[in-house]
Amino acid sequence: VMIQVKIFYAKNDLRNFSYLILDKDSGDSWVIDPFDEKPIIEYIKKESLTLKGILNTHQHWDHIRGNANLIDYFKCHVLSKESNQLILDAQNKMSFVGTPGHTADHTAFFWEKEESILGLFSGDTLFNSGVGNCKNGGNVEDLYETTNRLRELSDEVVLYPGHDYVLNNLLFAKTCEPENKAIDEALKLVRSSDTERGVAWTLGQEKKINPFLRLDSDEIQHKVLEGTKVSDHKKLFIELRSLRDNW
């Protein structure tokens, strides 16, 4: 694949990820959710790339903070989500998909090659072992519907989330599902690796460790709903999100 993803980690309390999508052949590049424009500008100059545009998953300040200076420096613009898709090269494109929940206007980007989805740039919708909160203009019922839709994507899809929250999310997941050995393995891996570079986990891996994708788990139902087994997944999801908010 000549299309590559370069990850920029903001060493801030929010642990933001920004992503540069670049085409090695043409030198064209696009940035997703720029927090700090400085390292992005440096990298683009060093690699002799052209910044063609900016994609924002949503309008919270930490996802658009670098926009103005990048626009100013490269004379590029923010791609409107009305565009529906962005052609990267002859085989690759980015599709814009509405993913309300964290905010009403949240958009995720699906990196597609021919008929396959290779990557999901999920912003603050889906995290490694977690989902976004709904505290600042969000709606938890929408987030439930959105998470369900994303869960249907192929197990091979790589997740590129908006923040590095993986350690805390796994520790929370462990409280919901103490017997889940996959969570122990993931915790071991995370504690011994540099998660600021991203973990490049697939949705298949997420489905083993992310409580919000594991609503079928008897153990989660038992823990979260205190012993009442429930077929109402929406109720379970809402309760789980509320527990995470107060955890």
Side-chain angles (χ1 to χ4, degrees):
V1 182
M2 290 321 287
I3 300 293
Q4 295 180 359
V5 179
K6 165 81 178 154
I7 298 175
F8 292 87
Y9 173 74
K11 293 183 184 301
N12 61 346
D13 292 345
L14 295 171
R15 307 180 69 82
N16 283 76
F17 282 132
S18 303
Y19 298 97
L20 189 70
I21 315 302
L22 56 122
D23 179 349
K24 282 302 247 195
D25 287 339
S26 69
D28 291 344
S29 65
W30 299 265
V31 68
I32 297 178
D33 288 352
F35 178 85
D36 181 0
E37 74 285 349
K38 292 181 202 70
I40 297 170
I41 291 173
E42 271 169 34
Y43 184 83
I44 287 172
K45 281 165 64 177
K46 180 167 74 78
E47 298 293 323
S48 307
L49 303 170
T50 307
L51 188 67
K52 303 284 283 184
I54 300 168
L55 292 80
N56 297 124
T57 56
H58 61 300
Q59 294 301 306
H60 284 161
W61 73 274
D62 57 313
H63 293 258
I64 60 171
R65 181 176 174 268
N67 279 17
N69 286 341
L70 288 172
I71 290 165
D72 196 39
Y73 193 94
F74 291 107
K75 307 293 177 254
C76 62
H77 61 283
V78 176
L79 300 174
S80 139
K81 59 174 186 263
E82 274 64 56
S83 21
N84 294 327
Q85 61 170 237
L86 161 69
I87 302 299
L88 302 174
D89 68 7
Q91 295 177 309
N92 294 269
K93 65 179 182 183
M94 208 61 88
S95 291
F96 298 28
V97 181
T99 49
H102 176 67
T103 60
D105 67 344
H106 197 291
T107 304
F109 305 110
F110 290 8
W111 171 16
E112 298 180 44
K113 183 176 183 185
E114 289 154 355
E115 298 307 304
S116 302
I117 299 176
L118 301 184
L120 164 61
F121 294 87
S122 58
D124 287 4
T125 296
L126 192 60
F127 296 123
N128 294 120
S129 194
V131 294
N133 69 51
C134 301
K135 293 173 183 173
N136 300 299
N139 178 305
V140 69
E141 297 199 4
D142 288 345
L143 187 65
Y144 166 73
E145 302 295 344
T146 290
T147 304
N148 258 5
R149 272 191 296 129
L150 295 178
R151 197 184 184 288
E152 299 302 308
L153 296 175
S154 151
D155 283 357
E156 279 71 56
V157 174
V158 176
L159 181 64
Y160 298 99
H163 299 263
D164 172 25
Y165 293 156
V166 65
L167 179 58
N168 265 352
N169 282 345
L170 283 169
L171 291 170
F172 171 73
K174 180 76 180 150
T175 67
C176 302
E177 209 176 8
E179 300 298 313
N180 183 340
K181 294 291 173 266
I183 295 173
D184 298 331
E185 289 301 309
L187 271 167
K188 212 178 339 182
L189 187 70
V190 159
R191 285 184 163 131
S192 64
S193 58
D194 178 7
T195 58
E196 296 177 7
R197 295 165 169 229
V199 292
W201 288 349
T202 61
L203 284 184
Q205 286 164 292
E206 287 297 327
K207 286 172 196 174
K208 295 175 181 165
I209 56 167
N210 187 329
F212 295 91
L213 300 179
R214 297 182 54 75
L215 303 176
D216 282 331
S217 155
D218 288 344
E219 194 179 9
I220 290 178
Q221 293 185 9
H222 190 78
K223 279 266 175 204
V224 173
L225 298 168
E226 289 160 356
T228 49
K229 185 156 169 47
V230 72
S231 54
D232 185 351
H233 281 181
K234 185 192 276 192
K235 183 181 168 194
L236 180 58
F237 184 95
I238 292 169
E239 190 54 39
L240 203 51
R241 184 59 260 177
S242 166
L243 280 176
R244 180 69 179 88
D245 287 340
N246 299 304
W247 183 68

